[in-house]
């Protein structure tokens, strides 16, 4: 663990992070009991349930949005931001890649963003369709910051990318050590002001198909292998510990940044996690979804409850106007589009 991580001593044990994953079910069960006891007119039990729910009010309001889109004033300067984990444009299903990239571009063309943060971006110079060229030439986002996790010189790379309509004057990365995930930033100059944009792809659980099958067996009450459960838990615990350390490094970087910030990307953690809490709360960042939308706003689609793990957070001086999760199943993540007032 790096020196930057050692500056913080409030990192919770992994057990609390693991238990927090059941928070949506906790809310659902409490709501069911609350309704039941109200119908039964058992007011003492109603009070007990309300107290239990009150004790978890903070993650509740981090998880569920109760906001509405704002009006844009005549003199307001707005900025439209997209964050999107594109899952390498279905790299292993290479026959569909041109179609998938074209679908991503079509969605971006409708959104007309000023800044795009891509995670799991795959680029191959030998492919006929080049999304990067289309974004630069047709959308006018000609300034690019790339962090290459894997690459073949002058031909191929895989990593994270920031596109900007406005000049990028400086860029950098956070040192995650020996990790397949990353966080990098770009300083964007707009109207004389500099904004630092963080594009994050934090540690994932790295679960395989057999791991998901085990989780489904547990959820459905089917028989399961104990060793498989241990394997899943081991992966999850290791990912949580690594991701929490990454979140602390990111938080320290945002604290030290001399500019107003946008913190975007795939956190691989829900809003009731330590990862989200320390990144947002420590820097008093505003969450575009919570302030302008309603519901859960899930950004990762799978067989269980949809989870919001992709975020657009911003400096408190910025004002979110709207936040939209587009439900097109192009990747395993949904893109998030936010419009903000950035004076």
């Amino acid at each position: 663990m790096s020196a930057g991580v050692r500056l913080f001593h409030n990192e919770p044990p992994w057990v609390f992070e693991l238990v927090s994953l059941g928070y949506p079910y906790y809310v659902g069960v409490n709501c069911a009991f609350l309704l039941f006891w109200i119908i039964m007119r058992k007011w003492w039990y109603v009070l007990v349930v309300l107290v239990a729910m009150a004790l978890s009010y903070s993650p509740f309001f981090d998880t569920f949005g109760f906001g509405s889109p704002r009006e844009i004033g005549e003199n307001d300067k707005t900025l439209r931001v997209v964050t999107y984990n594109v899952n390498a444009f279905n790299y292993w299903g290479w026959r569909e890649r041109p179609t998938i990239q074209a679908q991503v571009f079509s969605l971006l063309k409708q959104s007309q963003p000023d800044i795009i943060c891509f995670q799991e971006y795959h680029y191959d110079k030998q492919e006929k369709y080049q999304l990067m060229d289309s974004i630069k030439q047709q959308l006018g986002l000609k300034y690019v910051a790339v962090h290459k996790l894997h690459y073949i010189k002058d031909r191929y790379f895989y990593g994270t990318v920031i596109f900007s309509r406005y000049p990028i004057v400086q860029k950098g990365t956070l040192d995650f050590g020996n990790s397949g995930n990353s966080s990098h930033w770009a300083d964007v100059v707009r109207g004389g002001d500099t904004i630092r944009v963080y594009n994050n792809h934090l540690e994932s659980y790295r679960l395989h198909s057999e791991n998901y099958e085990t989780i489904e067996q547990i959820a459905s009450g089917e028989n399961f292998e104990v060793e498989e459960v241990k394997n899943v838990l081991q992966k999850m615990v290791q990912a949580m510990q690594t991701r929490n350390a990454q979140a602390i490094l990111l938080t320290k970087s945002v604290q030290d940044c001399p500019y107003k910030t946008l913190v975007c990307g795939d956190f691989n953690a829900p809003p009731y996690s330590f990862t989200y809490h320390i990144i947002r709360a420590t820097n008093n960042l505003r969450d575009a979804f919570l302030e302008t939308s309603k519901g859960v706003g899930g950004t990762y689609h799978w067989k269980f409850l949809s989870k919001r793990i992709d975020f657009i957070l911003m400096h408190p001086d910025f004002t979110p106007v709207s936040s939209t999760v587009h439900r097109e199943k192009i990747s395993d993540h949904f893109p998030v589009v936010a419009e903000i007032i950035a004076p």
Side-chain angles (χ1 to χ4, degrees), residues 120-250:
E120 297 191 30
Y121 194 99
H122 174 90
Y123 171 85
D124 193 334
K125 192 174 183 180
Q126 295 184 357
E127 293 181 344
K128 292 182 180 180
Y129 184 86
Q130 296 295 337
L131 178 61
M132 183 171 286
D133 292 341
S134 297
I135 291 174
K136 288 180 181 179
Q137 297 167 12
Q138 297 187 48
L139 297 185
L141 281 71
K142 60 182 180 179
Y143 302 99
V144 185
V146 177
H147 177 51
K148 302 176 182 178
L149 285 168
H150 310 287
Y151 66 94
I152 300 174
K153 188 176 181 181
D154 298 326
R155 184 209 144 176
Y156 157 87
F157 76 81
Y158 167 88
T160 53
V161 182
I162 299 173
F163 287 90
S164 173
R165 190 177 305 280
Y166 307 101
I168 293 175
V169 295
Q170 192 171 1
K171 55 188 176 180
T173 61
L174 303 184
D175 184 11
F176 283 174
N178 185 22
S179 172
N181 295 77
S182 65
S183 178
H184 86 291
W185 53 264
D187 289 342
V188 175
V189 176
R190 174 177 176 264
D193 292 326
T194 302
I195 301 171
R196 177 163 294 181
V197 180
Y198 286 90
N199 184 12
N200 304 283
H201 184 210
L202 305 185
E203 188 74 16
S204 65
Y205 291 118
R206 305 184 187 278
L207 300 178
H208 301 303
S209 57
E210 60 270 20
N211 302 138
Y212 286 111
E213 184 178 345
T214 299
I215 295 173
E216 291 176 16
Q217 289 171 344
I218 296 172
S220 61
E222 298 178 22
N223 293 328
F224 55 84
E225 295 291 335
V226 174
E227 288 302 317
E228 289 298 324
V229 174
K230 289 182 179 179
N231 183 36
V232 171
L233 288 175
Q234 184 178 9
K235 286 186 176 182
M236 295 180 71
V237 170
Q238 183 175 353
M240 288 173 184
Q241 292 173 332
T242 302
R243 186 167 59 240
N244 289 347
Q246 294 170 351
I248 290 171
L249 285 174
L250 172 60

Side-chain angles (χ1 to χ4, degrees), residues 65-335:
F66 297 94
S68 300
R70 288 184 171 88
E71 295 287 337
I72 299 176
E74 185 177 345
N75 298 320
D76 288 335
K77 300 177 182 178
T78 61
L79 193 68
R80 191 164 294 173
V81 183
V82 172
T83 183
Y84 197 2
N85 183 326
V86 291
N87 193 27
F89 304 113
N90 191 27
Y91 176 72
W92 301 112
W94 60 272
R95 293 180 186 274
E96 300 178 31
R97 280 175 51 75
T99 301
I100 289 175
Q101 291 192 63
Q103 289 174 335
V104 171
F105 178 73
S106 177
L107 185 149
L108 294 173
K109 194 173 182 180
Q110 294 174 24
S111 302
Q112 289 296 310
D114 299 301
I115 292 173
I116 306 172
C117 292
F118 280 121
Q119 303 88 44
E120 297 191 30
Y121 194 99
H122 174 90
Y123 171 85
D124 193 334
K125 192 174 183 180
Q126 295 184 357
E127 293 181 344
K128 292 182 180 180
Y129 184 86
Q130 296 295 337
L131 178 61
M132 183 171 286
D133 292 341
S134 297
I135 291 174
K136 288 180 181 179
Q137 297 167 12
Q138 297 187 48
L139 297 185
L141 281 71
K142 60 182 180 179
Y143 302 99
V144 185
V146 177
H147 177 51
K148 302 176 182 178
L149 285 168
H150 310 287
Y151 66 94
I152 300 174
K153 188 176 181 181
D154 298 326
R155 184 209 144 176
Y156 157 87
F157 76 81
Y158 167 88
T160 53
V161 182
I162 299 173
F163 287 90
S164 173
R165 190 177 305 280
Y166 307 101
I168 293 175
V169 295
Q170 192 171 1
K171 55 188 176 180
T173 61
L174 303 184
D175 184 11
F176 283 174
N178 185 22
S179 172
N181 295 77
S182 65
S183 178
H184 86 291
W185 53 264
D187 289 342
V188 175
V189 176
R190 174 177 176 264
D193 292 326
T194 302
I195 301 171
R196 177 163 294 181
V197 180
Y198 286 90
N199 184 12
N200 304 283
H201 184 210
L202 305 185
E203 188 74 16
S204 65
Y205 291 118
R206 305 184 187 278
L207 300 178
H208 301 303
S209 57
E210 60 270 20
N211 302 138
Y212 286 111
E213 184 178 345
T214 299
I215 295 173
E216 291 176 16
Q217 289 171 344
I218 296 172
S220 61
E222 298 178 22
N223 293 328
F224 55 84
E225 295 291 335
V226 174
E227 288 302 317
E228 289 298 324
V229 174
K230 289 182 179 179
N231 183 36
V232 171
L233 288 175
Q234 184 178 9
K235 286 186 176 182
M236 295 180 71
V237 170
Q238 183 175 353
M240 288 173 184
Q241 292 173 332
T242 302
R243 186 167 59 240
N244 289 347
Q246 294 170 351
I248 290 171
L249 285 174
L250 172 60
T251 299
K252 184 67 167 57
S253 179
V254 174
Q255 283 181 317
D256 294 340
C257 179
Y259 310 118
K260 296 175 183 178
T261 58
L262 288 171
V263 181
C264 308
D266 173 10
F267 290 7
N268 269 309
Y272 38 86
S273 65
F274 171 81
T275 296
Y276 172 87
H277 177 75
I278 191 171
I279 293 171
R280 182 184 170 212
T282 305
N283 295 288
N284 196 28
L285 300 178
R286 304 176 74 168
D287 187 320
F289 171 80
L290 291 180
E291 294 196 32
T292 64
S293 299
K294 292 181 174 61
V296 177
T299 61
Y300 182 73
H301 60 86
W302 64 329
K303 295 182 179 180
F304 302 100
L305 288 176
S306 181
K307 293 185 180 295
R308 186 165 70 99
I309 62 176
D310 302 86
F311 302 92
I312 297 177
L313 309 178
M314 66 200 69
H315 189 277
D317 287 351
F318 295 158
T319 302
V321 173
S322 64
S323 177
T324 304
V325 179
H326 290 275
R327 300 292 172 178
E328 289 86 346
K329 294 183 179 180
I330 302 172
S331 169
D332 55 348
H333 290 249
F334 298 126

